[in-house]
Amino acid sequence: MLETARNIVQEAGKKLGYSAQVIDTLLQPNRVIEVKVSIPTKTGERVFTGYRSQHNNRRGPYKGGIRFHPQVSREEVLALSTLMSIKCAVAGIPFGGAKGGIIVDPKELSKKELEQLSRSYVRALFPVIGPRVDVPAPDVNTNPLIMQWMLDEYEKLAGQAAPATFTGKPVEKGGSLGRTEATGRGGVIVLKALLSKLGKELKNKNPTFTKVMAGNAKLTVAVQGFGNVGYYFAKIAVEEGFDVVAVSDSKGGIVKNAKLNNAGKHFEPLDIPLVMGCKKKQGTLAGCYCSGGVCDINEGKVITNEQLLELPVDILVPAALENVITEKNAHKIQAKIVVEMANGPIAKEAYPILQKRGIYVIPDVLANAGGVVVSYFEWVQGMKGTVWSEAKVNKKMQDLLEESALAVWEQAKKSHVSLKEAAFMVAVRRLVEPKS
Ligand code: GLU
């Protein structure tokens, strides 16, 4: 992952005409800190390893999430902090990039232990974080409650209120309205902004897009992943006029009236909030088909995660794991547009295959930037001691992301590169020349 992130930055830098020295300097993280974190037990301390990588702060304080996962490593947080620098720069917000993590399986810990671990991590990092230094947020397996514990520990040590030190807090503890939905909502905003451009390109090449552009059809969407990001993407996409016809979680997914081999087939839309209600009741999505208030296993068809990726839909949204589209299945993808809502869902080798097949990829650093954009709004509210309405948050996010999507589109046209390369070019230029 680190190699891939570095390669794209290098390519973008080269295309912009920067010297190897300038790019190498940009790639070098400012610092990667390794800390011991522990929880007390009856027989002594149980020790874990934690990291915080602070990649770049030329545009503003470091910003990025903290993940709790057994696969966390120095390389992983470093790569992800580099991508945070890129993401903040693409979104045009005044933050640099950081990422943190603890090597731990949080499912093995009690709530009390999780709190002790979170507080211990903050004690270890206290000297290097703060509202004007480094502002962490939730990431994989961390949530608003964990941010609340972390902020409380920070404020105790600082001896003062400092709510802007963490974002993604619970709303009643200074979190921003709209933060929970922000990543999913941002993805739909970016998709719509680029569709107004892509639709015109696809119109004469593709019968569905011709119909959609004429207002005679809706675009169909399949979403892999039904966590916070996937769920809100699906829900908001329906509100914005898309037909979400397939969703899945780690155990599998559902479609209604699936004809898996018929490329011309239009699937029937799902009622996303009802499907979520069913998942909550049954524990998994596979087996949850809901319509008109009734959840009926017989109406829907259960599909695997692999099948979902290969469905004949217009738009595919991998919103769960890394590397789910690989060189093995890239030639089977039937969607015309892939929106990367997860971080890195398309393996490096799969990109050229999709590109050759004329499939557009909306890159993760743009598509899932809504989360950090609303984190920025939360930071502003914390610094000023004000509270914005949800409507204000959503409108400001929309303006920012539409502007970012347009900048990426124009770069792609100007330099004849993919949207991914264009996003990195926009970001690298803004990182090397912060005033640009
Ligand atoms: N963890 C999220 C991301 O990777 C949010 C980071 C933030 O809000 O600082 O974009």
Side-chain angles (χ1 to χ4, degrees):
M1 192 201 245
L2 186 54
E3 225 16 68
T4 315
R6 280 179 197 266
N7 283 345
I8 318 179
V9 171
Q10 269 159 345
E11 282 305 311
K14 250 192 250 165
K15 287 212 170 91
L16 290 163
Y18 295 128
S19 69
Q21 198 184 344
V22 167
I23 306 168
D24 283 348
T25 311
L26 177 62
L27 283 171
Q28 199 63 30
N30 288 355
R31 57 182 165 187
V32 184
I33 302 140
E34 180 174 329
V35 290
K36 182 177 122 178
V37 250
S38 62
I39 45 183
T41 68
K42 279 192 194 112
T43 50
E45 275 184 323
R46 196 170 155 205
V47 176
F48 299 85
T49 305
Y51 300 96
R52 185 74 179 166
S53 172
Q54 298 178 328
H55 174 256
N56 186 299
N57 62 350
R58 287 196 72 193
R59 293 176 46 84
Y62 300 106
K63 186 87 193 79
I66 297 166
R67 54 175 61 186
F68 289 176
H69 198 276
Q71 250 111 54
V72 163
S73 66
R74 188 182 186 283
E75 285 66 36
E76 189 191 61
V77 290
L78 173 46
L80 291 166
S81 68
T82 311
L83 294 175
M84 282 309 296
S85 296
I86 297 288
K87 201 187 287 191
C88 293
V90 175
I93 55 175
F95 281 131
K99 196 70 130 202
I102 302 178
I103 308 174
V104 62
D105 182 356
K107 290 182 195 90
E108 284 176 3
L109 299 185
S110 67
K111 193 173 170 193
K112 176 106 194 284
E113 289 170 327
L114 212 50
E115 177 172 352
Q116 287 164 331
L117 188 77
S118 306
R119 289 181 182 276
S120 171
Y121 182 76
V122 169
R123 284 195 295 277
L125 286 174
F126 178 72
V128 295
I129 58 174
R132 295 209 180 269
V133 186
D134 182 351
V135 184
D139 201 85
V140 175
N141 290 336
T142 50
N143 58 25
L145 179 60
I146 292 176
M147 294 305 112
Q148 181 183 326
W149 292 330
M150 289 190 171
L151 174 63
D152 184 61
E153 192 66 23
Y154 182 88
E155 290 182 332
K156 266 188 204 154
L157 293 167
Q160 57 177 287
T165 310
F166 291 86
T167 61
K169 304 179 292 288
V171 173
E172 62 284 3
K173 297 283 174 189
S176 178
L177 291 165
R179 177 65 181 84
T180 311
E181 304 84 356
T183 311
R185 183 180 298 282
V188 178
I189 292 170
V190 169
L191 170 63
K192 281 185 73 180
L194 288 174
L195 263 179
S196 66
K197 307 282 179 190
L198 286 175
K200 284 184 204 129
E201 290 212 350
L202 284 163
K203 192 174 148 189
N204 298 322
K205 295 186 211 155
N206 182 292
T208 316
F209 277 84
T210 313
K211 273 195 228 156
V212 170
M213 292 302 280
N216 297 330
K218 283 184 173 187
L219 289 172
T220 55
V221 183
V223 182
Q224 187 189 56
F226 213 54
N228 177 273
V229 178
Y231 170 66
Y232 282 110
F233 185 99
K235 181 173 176 283
I236 294 164
V238 171
E239 288 162 12
E240 293 295 324
F242 295 88
D243 273 351
V244 175
V245 297
V247 288
S248 70
D249 61 18
S250 60
K251 308 254 164 35
I254 44 159
V255 280
K256 190 184 175 196
N257 291 339
K259 296 267 190 321
L260 293 180
N261 295 320
N262 185 349
K265 186 77 193 167
H266 192 88
F267 295 96
E268 286 188 36
L270 300 170
D271 183 327
I272 300 302
L274 272 182
V275 172
M276 180 49 118
C278 180
K279 178 185 155 94
K280 276 193 182 142
K281 240 191 265 154
Q282 303 205 8
T284 55
L285 265 180
C288 283
Y289 173 72
C290 297
S291 165
V294 189
C295 291
D296 174 4
I297 188 164
N298 300 318
E299 279 262 12
K301 183 171 162 62
V302 177
I303 52 168
T304 64
N305 265 297
E306 292 70 37
Q307 284 173 316
L308 180 134
L309 294 172
E310 297 163 17
L311 288 175
V313 290
D314 302 312
I315 298 163
L316 176 63
V317 185
L321 300 172
E322 284 156 24
N323 293 340
V324 290
I325 300 175
T326 63
E327 48 186 348
K328 287 210 183 88
N329 61 0
H331 60 280
K332 294 189 203 150
I333 304 297
Q334 298 190 58
K336 316 294 173 302
I337 297 171
V338 181
V339 188
E340 290 189 305
M341 288 306 290
N343 284 320
I346 302 178
K348 197 171 130 226
E349 302 73 29
Y351 265 102
I353 305 175
L354 297 180
Q355 215 172 348
K356 236 204 211 136
R357 296 187 52 226
I359 297 171
Y360 290 90
V361 174
I362 302 185
D364 48 7
V365 288
L366 175 65
N368 69 25
V372 76
V373 165
V374 177
S375 269
Y376 165 53
F377 298 154
E378 180 175 335
W379 180 82
V380 173
Q381 292 170 77
M383 293 298 264
K384 290 192 177 160
T386 52
V387 176
W388 295 356
S389 69
E390 191 169 349
K392 178 168 174 175
V393 169
N394 290 346
K395 173 76 176 78
K396 278 187 165 286
M397 167 162 68
Q398 180 165 354
D399 291 349
L400 245 169
L401 288 178
E402 282 178 355
E403 220 174 281
S404 312
L406 190 66
V408 169
W409 176 261
E410 279 170 359
Q411 185 73 57
K413 290 291 116 188
K414 190 172 146 207
S415 306
H416 306 287
V417 294
S418 69
L419 293 170
K420 179 126 189 160
E421 290 167 288
F424 275 72
M425 286 175 79
V426 168
V428 168
R429 188 191 310 109
R430 289 177 179 172
L431 283 162
V432 174
E433 303 166 61
K435 296 269 177 291
S436 69

